mmCIF file of all heavy atoms in Angstrom:
data_model
loop_
_atom_site.group_PDB
_atom_site.id
_atom_site.type_symbol
_atom_site.label_atom_id
_atom_site.label_comp_id
_atom_site.label_asym_id
_atom_site.label_seq_id
_atom_site.Cartn_x
_atom_site.Cartn_y
_atom_site.Cartn_z
ATOM 1 N N ASP Z 1 -87.952 1.733 17.848
ATOM 2 C CA ASP Z 1 -89.233 1.574 17.159
ATOM 3 C C ASP Z 1 -89.247 0.293 16.389
ATOM 4 O O ASP Z 1 -90.372 -0.468 16.333
ATOM 5 C CB ASP Z 1 -89.412 2.741 16.099
ATOM 6 C CG ASP Z 1 -89.662 4.067 16.903
ATOM 7 O OD1 ASP Z 1 -89.962 4.030 17.992
ATOM 8 O OD2 ASP Z 1 -89.444 5.073 16.181
ATOM 9 N N TYR Z 2 -88.179 -0.195 15.793
ATOM 10 C CA TYR Z 2 -88.135 -1.376 15.008
ATOM 11 C C TYR Z 2 -88.271 -2.661 15.975
ATOM 12 O O TYR Z 2 -89.116 -3.478 15.671
ATOM 13 C CB TYR Z 2 -86.831 -1.543 14.298
ATOM 14 C CG TYR Z 2 -86.757 -2.702 13.344
ATOM 15 C CD1 TYR Z 2 -87.213 -2.540 11.896
ATOM 16 C CD2 TYR Z 2 -86.238 -3.837 13.696
ATOM 17 C CE1 TYR Z 2 -87.189 -3.565 11.077
ATOM 18 C CE2 TYR Z 2 -86.274 -4.869 12.799
ATOM 19 C CZ TYR Z 2 -86.617 -4.748 11.460
ATOM 20 O OH TYR Z 2 -86.533 -5.800 10.662
ATOM 21 N N LEU Z 3 -87.557 -2.587 17.009
ATOM 22 C CA LEU Z 3 -87.623 -3.671 17.971
ATOM 23 C C LEU Z 3 -89.041 -3.832 18.603
ATOM 24 O O LEU Z 3 -89.508 -4.861 18.852
ATOM 25 C CB LEU Z 3 -86.622 -3.509 19.117
ATOM 26 C CG LEU Z 3 -85.189 -3.763 18.762
ATOM 27 C CD1 LEU Z 3 -84.367 -3.223 19.860
ATOM 28 C CD2 LEU Z 3 -84.962 -5.186 18.472
ATOM 29 N N GLU Z 4 -89.727 -2.701 18.700
ATOM 30 C CA GLU Z 4 -91.088 -2.782 19.311
ATOM 31 C C GLU Z 4 -92.115 -3.397 18.355
ATOM 32 O O GLU Z 4 -93.157 -3.905 18.732
ATOM 33 C CB GLU Z 4 -91.591 -1.350 19.624
ATOM 34 C CG GLU Z 4 -90.864 -0.856 20.843
ATOM 35 C CD GLU Z 4 -91.191 0.625 21.235
ATOM 36 O OE1 GLU Z 4 -91.874 1.298 20.355
ATOM 37 O OE2 GLU Z 4 -90.881 1.089 22.479
ATOM 38 N N LYS Z 5 -91.700 -3.401 17.031
ATOM 39 C CA LYS Z 5 -92.622 -4.070 16.097
ATOM 40 C C LYS Z 5 -92.543 -5.583 16.110
ATOM 41 O O LYS Z 5 -93.400 -6.330 15.577
ATOM 42 C CB LYS Z 5 -92.314 -3.535 14.649
ATOM 43 C CG LYS Z 5 -92.563 -2.212 14.385
ATOM 44 C CD LYS Z 5 -92.024 -1.816 12.938
ATOM 45 C CE LYS Z 5 -92.206 -0.316 12.676
ATOM 46 N NZ LYS Z 5 -91.719 0.060 11.360
ATOM 47 N N LEU Z 6 -91.429 -6.067 16.661
ATOM 48 C CA LEU Z 6 -91.072 -7.547 16.596
ATOM 49 C C LEU Z 6 -91.795 -8.288 17.807
ATOM 50 O O LEU Z 6 -91.896 -7.780 18.839
ATOM 51 C CB LEU Z 6 -89.576 -7.778 16.604
ATOM 52 C CG LEU Z 6 -88.861 -7.110 15.395
ATOM 53 C CD1 LEU Z 6 -87.422 -7.442 15.759
ATOM 54 C CD2 LEU Z 6 -89.329 -7.547 14.191
ATOM 55 N N SER Z 7 -92.159 -9.413 17.397
ATOM 56 C CA SER Z 7 -92.735 -10.334 18.560
ATOM 57 C C SER Z 7 -91.727 -10.717 19.520
ATOM 58 O O SER Z 7 -90.516 -10.857 19.198
ATOM 59 C CB SER Z 7 -93.626 -11.496 17.926
ATOM 60 O OG SER Z 7 -92.622 -12.329 17.408
ATOM 61 N N PRO Z 8 -92.155 -11.176 20.643
ATOM 62 C CA PRO Z 8 -91.106 -11.670 21.719
ATOM 63 C C PRO Z 8 -90.366 -12.948 21.117
ATOM 64 O O PRO Z 8 -89.256 -13.103 21.373
ATOM 65 C CB PRO Z 8 -91.990 -12.105 22.852
ATOM 66 C CG PRO Z 8 -93.261 -11.204 22.797
ATOM 67 C CD PRO Z 8 -93.456 -11.061 21.277
ATOM 68 N N SER Z 9 -91.023 -13.781 20.257
ATOM 69 C CA SER Z 9 -90.330 -14.940 19.672
ATOM 70 C C SER Z 9 -89.285 -14.564 18.782
ATOM 71 O O SER Z 9 -88.266 -15.345 18.669
ATOM 72 C CB SER Z 9 -91.368 -15.787 19.089
ATOM 73 O OG SER Z 9 -91.930 -15.129 17.896
ATOM 74 N N VAL Z 10 -89.328 -13.393 18.169
ATOM 75 C CA VAL Z 10 -88.206 -12.828 17.298
ATOM 76 C C VAL Z 10 -87.200 -12.216 18.171
ATOM 77 O O VAL Z 10 -85.910 -12.531 17.955
ATOM 78 C CB VAL Z 10 -88.718 -11.923 16.256
ATOM 79 C CG1 VAL Z 10 -87.590 -11.302 15.390
ATOM 80 C CG2 VAL Z 10 -89.821 -12.476 15.334
ATOM 81 N N ARG Z 11 -87.554 -11.391 19.047
ATOM 82 C CA ARG Z 11 -86.622 -10.727 19.944
ATOM 83 C C ARG Z 11 -85.738 -11.667 20.628
ATOM 84 O O ARG Z 11 -84.501 -11.320 20.900
ATOM 85 C CB ARG Z 11 -87.401 -9.905 20.927
ATOM 86 C CG ARG Z 11 -88.140 -8.622 20.400
ATOM 87 C CD ARG Z 11 -88.802 -7.961 21.551
ATOM 88 N NE ARG Z 11 -89.862 -6.989 20.979
ATOM 89 C CZ ARG Z 11 -90.801 -6.428 21.667
ATOM 90 N NH1 ARG Z 11 -90.876 -6.737 23.018
ATOM 91 N NH2 ARG Z 11 -91.763 -5.639 21.180
ATOM 92 N N GLU Z 12 -86.245 -12.793 21.110
ATOM 93 C CA GLU Z 12 -85.407 -13.703 21.816
ATOM 94 C C GLU Z 12 -84.265 -14.332 21.006
ATOM 95 O O GLU Z 12 -83.418 -14.997 21.595
ATOM 96 C CB GLU Z 12 -86.263 -14.717 22.541
ATOM 97 C CG GLU Z 12 -86.779 -15.681 21.620
ATOM 98 C CD GLU Z 12 -87.751 -16.658 22.345
ATOM 99 O OE1 GLU Z 12 -88.019 -16.496 23.456
ATOM 100 O OE2 GLU Z 12 -88.229 -17.759 21.832
ATOM 101 N N LYS Z 13 -84.313 -14.219 19.734
ATOM 102 C CA LYS Z 13 -83.223 -14.607 18.809
ATOM 103 C C LYS Z 13 -82.260 -13.507 18.261
ATOM 104 O O LYS Z 13 -81.357 -13.840 17.498
ATOM 105 C CB LYS Z 13 -83.835 -15.370 17.676
ATOM 106 C CG LYS Z 13 -84.425 -16.735 18.029
ATOM 107 C CD LYS Z 13 -84.833 -17.581 16.851
ATOM 108 C CE LYS Z 13 -85.250 -18.933 17.314
ATOM 109 N NZ LYS Z 13 -85.489 -19.881 16.004
ATOM 110 N N ILE Z 14 -82.581 -12.259 18.692
ATOM 111 C CA ILE Z 14 -82.009 -11.126 18.134
ATOM 112 C C ILE Z 14 -80.613 -10.847 18.888
ATOM 113 O O ILE Z 14 -80.607 -10.794 20.117
ATOM 114 C CB ILE Z 14 -82.851 -9.828 18.256
ATOM 115 C CG1 ILE Z 14 -84.004 -9.913 17.201
ATOM 116 C CG2 ILE Z 14 -82.046 -8.515 18.053
ATOM 117 C CD1 ILE Z 14 -83.725 -9.600 15.822
ATOM 118 N N ARG Z 15 -79.621 -10.503 18.057
ATOM 119 C CA ARG Z 15 -78.426 -9.935 18.538
ATOM 120 C C ARG Z 15 -78.243 -8.532 17.969
ATOM 121 O O ARG Z 15 -78.308 -8.471 16.691
ATOM 122 C CB ARG Z 15 -77.223 -10.892 18.279
ATOM 123 C CG ARG Z 15 -77.265 -12.194 19.008
ATOM 124 C CD ARG Z 15 -75.954 -12.845 19.418
ATOM 125 N NE ARG Z 15 -76.063 -14.040 20.036
ATOM 126 C CZ ARG Z 15 -75.123 -14.745 20.789
ATOM 127 N NH1 ARG Z 15 -73.907 -14.106 20.836
ATOM 128 N NH2 ARG Z 15 -75.286 -15.835 21.339
ATOM 129 N N LEU Z 16 -78.006 -7.608 18.749
ATOM 130 C CA LEU Z 16 -77.865 -6.210 18.249
ATOM 131 C C LEU Z 16 -76.517 -5.927 17.888
ATOM 132 O O LEU Z 16 -75.554 -6.196 18.682
ATOM 133 C CB LEU Z 16 -78.269 -5.267 19.408
ATOM 134 C CG LEU Z 16 -79.767 -4.921 19.614
ATOM 135 C CD1 LEU Z 16 -79.858 -3.938 20.800
ATOM 136 C CD2 LEU Z 16 -80.410 -4.401 18.291
ATOM 137 N N HIS Z 17 -76.275 -5.274 16.692
ATOM 138 C CA HIS Z 17 -74.880 -4.867 16.187
ATOM 139 C C HIS Z 17 -74.635 -3.411 16.721
ATOM 140 O O HIS Z 17 -73.516 -3.076 16.662
ATOM 141 C CB HIS Z 17 -74.960 -4.918 14.668
ATOM 142 C CG HIS Z 17 -74.663 -6.286 14.264
ATOM 143 N ND1 HIS Z 17 -73.669 -6.647 13.325
ATOM 144 C CD2 HIS Z 17 -75.244 -7.543 14.617
ATOM 145 C CE1 HIS Z 17 -73.687 -7.936 13.026
ATOM 146 N NE2 HIS Z 17 -74.552 -8.491 13.756
ATOM 147 N N ASP Z 18 -75.713 -2.672 16.941
ATOM 148 C CA ASP Z 18 -75.530 -1.263 17.242
ATOM 149 C C ASP Z 18 -76.571 -0.905 18.433
ATOM 150 O O ASP Z 18 -77.511 -1.704 18.634
ATOM 151 C CB ASP Z 18 -75.756 -0.333 16.090
ATOM 152 C CG ASP Z 18 -74.755 -0.542 15.042
ATOM 153 O OD1 ASP Z 18 -73.622 -0.126 15.193
ATOM 154 O OD2 ASP Z 18 -75.082 -1.288 14.024
ATOM 155 N N HIS Z 19 -76.393 0.303 19.025
ATOM 156 C CA HIS Z 19 -77.223 0.747 20.029
ATOM 157 C C HIS Z 19 -77.393 -0.334 21.217
ATOM 158 O O HIS Z 19 -78.548 -0.674 21.497
ATOM 159 C CB HIS Z 19 -78.528 1.099 19.421
ATOM 160 C CG HIS Z 19 -78.487 2.147 18.344
ATOM 161 N ND1 HIS Z 19 -77.915 3.425 18.481
ATOM 162 C CD2 HIS Z 19 -78.674 1.941 16.921
ATOM 163 C CE1 HIS Z 19 -77.893 4.064 17.255
ATOM 164 N NE2 HIS Z 19 -78.316 3.113 16.325
ATOM 165 N N HIS Z 20 -76.319 -0.736 21.654
ATOM 166 C CA HIS Z 20 -76.230 -1.849 22.604
ATOM 167 C C HIS Z 20 -77.149 -1.462 23.966
ATOM 168 O O HIS Z 20 -77.473 -2.302 24.634
ATOM 169 C CB HIS Z 20 -74.837 -2.202 23.022
ATOM 170 C CG HIS Z 20 -74.222 -2.991 21.823
ATOM 171 N ND1 HIS Z 20 -72.735 -3.170 22.001
ATOM 172 C CD2 HIS Z 20 -74.620 -3.467 20.739
ATOM 173 C CE1 HIS Z 20 -72.417 -3.806 20.711
ATOM 174 N NE2 HIS Z 20 -73.557 -4.019 20.016
ATOM 175 N N GLY Z 21 -77.167 -0.249 24.184
ATOM 176 C CA GLY Z 21 -77.981 0.176 25.374
ATOM 177 C C GLY Z 21 -79.373 -0.263 25.404
ATOM 178 O O GLY Z 21 -80.076 -0.343 26.459
ATOM 179 N N LEU Z 22 -79.951 -0.702 24.256
ATOM 180 C CA LEU Z 22 -81.326 -1.080 24.088
ATOM 181 C C LEU Z 22 -81.472 -2.487 24.633
ATOM 182 O O LEU Z 22 -82.693 -2.974 24.828
ATOM 183 C CB LEU Z 22 -81.781 -0.992 22.617
ATOM 184 C CG LEU Z 22 -81.974 0.506 22.073
ATOM 185 C CD1 LEU Z 22 -82.303 0.323 20.559
ATOM 186 C CD2 LEU Z 22 -83.030 1.290 22.808
ATOM 187 N N PHE Z 23 -80.410 -3.169 24.871
ATOM 188 C CA PHE Z 23 -80.569 -4.498 25.310
ATOM 189 C C PHE Z 23 -81.301 -4.690 26.608
ATOM 190 O O PHE Z 23 -82.260 -5.564 26.758
ATOM 191 C CB PHE Z 23 -79.098 -5.186 25.597
ATOM 192 C CG PHE Z 23 -79.234 -6.609 26.095
ATOM 193 C CD1 PHE Z 23 -79.222 -7.659 25.172
ATOM 194 C CD2 PHE Z 23 -79.161 -6.924 27.482
ATOM 195 C CE1 PHE Z 23 -79.347 -8.956 25.575
ATOM 196 C CE2 PHE Z 23 -79.161 -8.149 27.916
ATOM 197 C CZ PHE Z 23 -79.284 -9.200 26.922
ATOM 198 N N ALA Z 24 -81.194 -3.692 27.599
ATOM 199 C CA ALA Z 24 -81.769 -3.787 28.730
ATOM 200 C C ALA Z 24 -83.409 -3.448 28.701
ATOM 201 O O ALA Z 24 -84.091 -3.883 29.645
ATOM 202 C CB ALA Z 24 -81.249 -2.672 29.819
ATOM 203 N N SER Z 25 -83.848 -2.935 27.604
ATOM 204 C CA SER Z 25 -85.201 -2.644 27.415
ATOM 205 C C SER Z 25 -86.007 -3.709 26.708
ATOM 206 O O SER Z 25 -87.250 -3.707 26.677
ATOM 207 C CB SER Z 25 -85.341 -1.337 26.568
ATOM 208 O OG SER Z 25 -84.766 -0.224 27.221
ATOM 209 N N PHE Z 26 -85.286 -4.720 26.145
ATOM 210 C CA PHE Z 26 -85.912 -5.790 25.420
ATOM 211 C C PHE Z 26 -85.332 -7.134 25.770
ATOM 212 O O PHE Z 26 -84.111 -7.232 26.217
ATOM 213 C CB PHE Z 26 -85.746 -5.564 23.856
ATOM 214 C CG PHE Z 26 -86.405 -4.330 23.460
ATOM 215 C CD1 PHE Z 26 -85.656 -3.061 23.369
ATOM 216 C CD2 PHE Z 26 -87.690 -4.285 22.939
ATOM 217 C CE1 PHE Z 26 -86.263 -1.922 22.854
ATOM 218 C CE2 PHE Z 26 -88.384 -3.083 22.520
ATOM 219 C CZ PHE Z 26 -87.638 -1.866 22.561
ATOM 220 N N HIS Z 27 -86.106 -8.215 25.667
ATOM 221 C CA HIS Z 27 -85.703 -9.518 26.036
ATOM 222 C C HIS Z 27 -85.047 -10.066 24.746
ATOM 223 O O HIS Z 27 -85.577 -10.837 23.935
ATOM 224 C CB HIS Z 27 -86.797 -10.417 26.399
ATOM 225 C CG HIS Z 27 -86.400 -11.769 26.912
ATOM 226 N ND1 HIS Z 27 -85.589 -11.999 27.903
ATOM 227 C CD2 HIS Z 27 -86.655 -12.990 26.412
ATOM 228 C CE1 HIS Z 27 -85.274 -13.310 28.065
ATOM 229 N NE2 HIS Z 27 -86.020 -13.894 27.053
ATOM 230 N N LEU Z 28 -83.705 -9.769 24.541
ATOM 231 C CA LEU Z 28 -82.993 -10.150 23.443
ATOM 232 C C LEU Z 28 -81.895 -11.279 23.707
ATOM 233 O O LEU Z 28 -81.668 -11.579 24.912
ATOM 234 C CB LEU Z 28 -82.191 -8.936 22.795
ATOM 235 C CG LEU Z 28 -82.947 -7.689 22.571
ATOM 236 C CD1 LEU Z 28 -82.057 -6.527 22.083
ATOM 237 C CD2 LEU Z 28 -84.150 -7.973 21.558
ATOM 238 N N GLN Z 29 -81.456 -11.946 22.741
ATOM 239 C CA GLN Z 29 -80.571 -13.027 22.798
ATOM 240 C C GLN Z 29 -79.094 -12.517 23.261
ATOM 241 O O GLN Z 29 -78.564 -13.095 24.109
ATOM 242 C CB GLN Z 29 -80.367 -13.850 21.565
ATOM 243 C CG GLN Z 29 -79.576 -15.016 21.624
ATOM 244 C CD GLN Z 29 -79.284 -15.789 20.355
ATOM 245 O OE1 GLN Z 29 -78.286 -15.528 19.620
ATOM 246 N NE2 GLN Z 29 -80.267 -16.594 19.992
ATOM 247 N N GLY Z 30 -78.670 -11.330 22.636
ATOM 248 C CA GLY Z 30 -77.361 -10.932 23.038
ATOM 249 C C GLY Z 30 -76.875 -9.724 22.247
ATOM 250 O O GLY Z 30 -77.749 -9.165 21.524
ATOM 251 N N LEU Z 31 -75.576 -9.377 22.360
ATOM 252 C CA LEU Z 31 -74.989 -8.179 21.615
ATOM 253 C C LEU Z 31 -73.936 -8.797 20.717
ATOM 254 O O LEU Z 31 -73.303 -9.838 20.959
ATOM 255 C CB LEU Z 31 -74.442 -7.287 22.599
ATOM 256 C CG LEU Z 31 -75.394 -6.552 23.614
ATOM 257 C CD1 LEU Z 31 -74.564 -5.676 24.498
ATOM 258 C CD2 LEU Z 31 -76.511 -5.960 22.862
ATOM 259 N N HIS Z 32 -73.682 -8.084 19.614
ATOM 260 C CA HIS Z 32 -72.562 -8.394 18.701
ATOM 261 C C HIS Z 32 -71.656 -7.277 18.650
ATOM 262 O O HIS Z 32 -71.935 -6.064 18.518
ATOM 263 C CB HIS Z 32 -73.231 -8.561 17.234
ATOM 264 C CG HIS Z 32 -72.278 -9.141 16.200
ATOM 265 N ND1 HIS Z 32 -71.903 -10.361 16.276
ATOM 266 C CD2 HIS Z 32 -71.484 -8.471 15.359
ATOM 267 C CE1 HIS Z 32 -70.985 -10.527 15.192
ATOM 268 N NE2 HIS Z 32 -70.712 -9.387 14.763
ATOM 269 N N LEU Z 33 -70.338 -7.686 18.660
ATOM 270 C CA LEU Z 33 -69.287 -6.644 18.745
ATOM 271 C C LEU Z 33 -68.700 -6.570 17.220
ATOM 272 O O LEU Z 33 -68.616 -7.573 16.525
ATOM 273 C CB LEU Z 33 -68.147 -7.147 19.622
ATOM 274 C CG LEU Z 33 -68.511 -7.432 21.096
ATOM 275 C CD1 LEU Z 33 -67.270 -7.781 21.896
ATOM 276 C CD2 LEU Z 33 -69.133 -6.176 21.757
ATOM 277 N N ASN Z 34 -68.322 -5.378 16.883
ATOM 278 C CA ASN Z 34 -67.794 -5.097 15.637
ATOM 279 C C ASN Z 34 -66.731 -3.930 15.670
ATOM 280 O O ASN Z 34 -66.473 -3.475 16.797
ATOM 281 C CB ASN Z 34 -68.916 -4.740 14.665
ATOM 282 C CG ASN Z 34 -69.922 -3.770 15.033
ATOM 283 O OD1 ASN Z 34 -69.547 -2.676 15.673
ATOM 284 N ND2 ASN Z 34 -71.133 -4.232 15.053
ATOM 285 N N ARG Z 35 -66.384 -3.382 14.551
ATOM 286 C CA ARG Z 35 -65.483 -2.325 14.587
ATOM 287 C C ARG Z 35 -65.987 -0.961 15.135
ATOM 288 O O ARG Z 35 -65.353 -0.185 15.663
ATOM 289 C CB ARG Z 35 -64.982 -2.015 13.090
ATOM 290 C CG ARG Z 35 -64.057 -3.080 12.519
ATOM 291 C CD ARG Z 35 -63.704 -2.911 11.105
ATOM 292 N NE ARG Z 35 -62.790 -4.051 10.580
ATOM 293 C CZ ARG Z 35 -62.420 -4.077 9.301
ATOM 294 N NH1 ARG Z 35 -62.879 -3.237 8.455
ATOM 295 N NH2 ARG Z 35 -61.665 -5.108 8.964
ATOM 296 N N ARG Z 36 -67.389 -0.866 14.985
ATOM 297 C CA ARG Z 36 -68.044 0.271 15.638
ATOM 298 C C ARG Z 36 -68.098 0.150 17.046
ATOM 299 O O ARG Z 36 -68.050 1.140 17.824
ATOM 300 C CB ARG Z 36 -69.399 0.542 14.963
ATOM 301 C CG ARG Z 36 -69.395 0.860 13.469
ATOM 302 C CD ARG Z 36 -70.776 1.058 12.976
ATOM 303 N NE ARG Z 36 -71.717 0.002 13.086
ATOM 304 C CZ ARG Z 36 -71.700 -1.075 12.275
ATOM 305 N NH1 ARG Z 36 -70.938 -1.258 11.322
ATOM 306 N NH2 ARG Z 36 -72.659 -2.121 12.625
ATOM 307 N N HIS Z 37 -68.235 -1.010 17.574
ATOM 308 C CA HIS Z 37 -68.404 -1.287 18.941
ATOM 309 C C HIS Z 37 -67.674 -2.548 19.300
ATOM 310 O O HIS Z 37 -68.053 -3.680 19.480
ATOM 311 C CB HIS Z 37 -69.895 -1.505 19.207
ATOM 312 C CG HIS Z 37 -70.822 -0.561 18.664
ATOM 313 N ND1 HIS Z 37 -70.943 0.682 19.356
ATOM 314 C CD2 HIS Z 37 -71.688 -0.481 17.718
ATOM 315 C CE1 HIS Z 37 -71.868 1.383 18.640
ATOM 316 N NE2 HIS Z 37 -72.289 0.645 17.644
ATOM 317 N N PRO Z 38 -66.321 -2.306 19.524
ATOM 318 C CA PRO Z 38 -65.432 -3.375 19.842
ATOM 319 C C PRO Z 38 -65.511 -3.961 21.223
ATOM 320 O O PRO Z 38 -65.017 -5.102 21.424
ATOM 321 C CB PRO Z 38 -64.022 -2.840 19.607
ATOM 322 C CG PRO Z 38 -64.202 -1.346 19.960
ATOM 323 C CD PRO Z 38 -65.616 -0.983 19.355
ATOM 324 N N LEU Z 39 -66.116 -3.236 22.067
ATOM 325 C CA LEU Z 39 -66.222 -3.787 23.575
ATOM 326 C C LEU Z 39 -67.676 -3.661 23.912
ATOM 327 O O LEU Z 39 -68.526 -2.842 23.514
ATOM 328 C CB LEU Z 39 -65.409 -2.826 24.498
ATOM 329 C CG LEU Z 39 -63.882 -2.879 24.284
ATOM 330 C CD1 LEU Z 39 -63.228 -1.917 25.018
ATOM 331 C CD2 LEU Z 39 -63.356 -4.235 24.418
ATOM 332 N N PRO Z 40 -68.117 -4.666 24.832
ATOM 333 C CA PRO Z 40 -69.521 -4.656 25.295
ATOM 334 C C PRO Z 40 -69.670 -3.410 26.299
ATOM 335 O O PRO Z 40 -68.776 -2.918 26.864
ATOM 336 C CB PRO Z 40 -69.555 -5.977 26.071
ATOM 337 C CG PRO Z 40 -68.165 -6.318 26.491
ATOM 338 C CD PRO Z 40 -67.336 -5.731 25.433
ATOM 339 N N PRO Z 41 -70.866 -3.076 26.492
ATOM 340 C CA PRO Z 41 -71.108 -1.957 27.518
ATOM 341 C C PRO Z 41 -70.709 -2.278 28.900
ATOM 342 O O PRO Z 41 -70.657 -3.584 29.260
ATOM 343 C CB PRO Z 41 -72.666 -1.756 27.461
ATOM 344 C CG PRO Z 41 -73.168 -2.464 26.236
ATOM 345 C CD PRO Z 41 -72.166 -3.514 25.911
ATOM 346 N N ALA Z 42 -70.354 -1.349 29.795
ATOM 347 C CA ALA Z 42 -69.859 -1.684 31.031
ATOM 348 C C ALA Z 42 -70.952 -2.391 31.844
ATOM 349 O O ALA Z 42 -72.166 -1.935 31.819
ATOM 350 C CB ALA Z 42 -69.552 -0.326 31.742
ATOM 351 N N GLY Z 43 -70.644 -3.449 32.504
ATOM 352 C CA GLY Z 43 -71.548 -4.122 33.235
ATOM 353 C C GLY Z 43 -72.403 -5.219 32.599
ATOM 354 O O GLY Z 43 -73.137 -5.952 33.153
#
């Protein structure tokens, strides 16, 4: 819901720290790995 509020110009600079599966639904810059998510999603 939060990502849907953001304009494309913001989304293209976004890196997600959680809920990495949402990357495929939005045109985002990338993903961020941390202790909660030490590895990227398969593929």
Side-chain angles (χ1 to χ4, degrees):
D1 292 343
Y2 188 89
L3 286 167
E4 289 176 346
K5 296 177 182 177
L6 303 177
S7 71
S9 62
V10 178
R11 291 178 196 164
E12 67 184 14
K13 290 190 175 184
I14 291 284
R15 293 208 181 197
L16 278 180
H17 281 227
D18 297 282
H19 309 294
H20 289 170
L22 292 174
F23 180 86
S25 301
F26 298 91
H27 184 62
L28 307 178
Q29 185 185 95
L31 300 180
H32 186 79
L33 305 179
N34 49 47
R35 290 175 180 172
R36 296 184 301 279
H37 308 287
L39 298 173

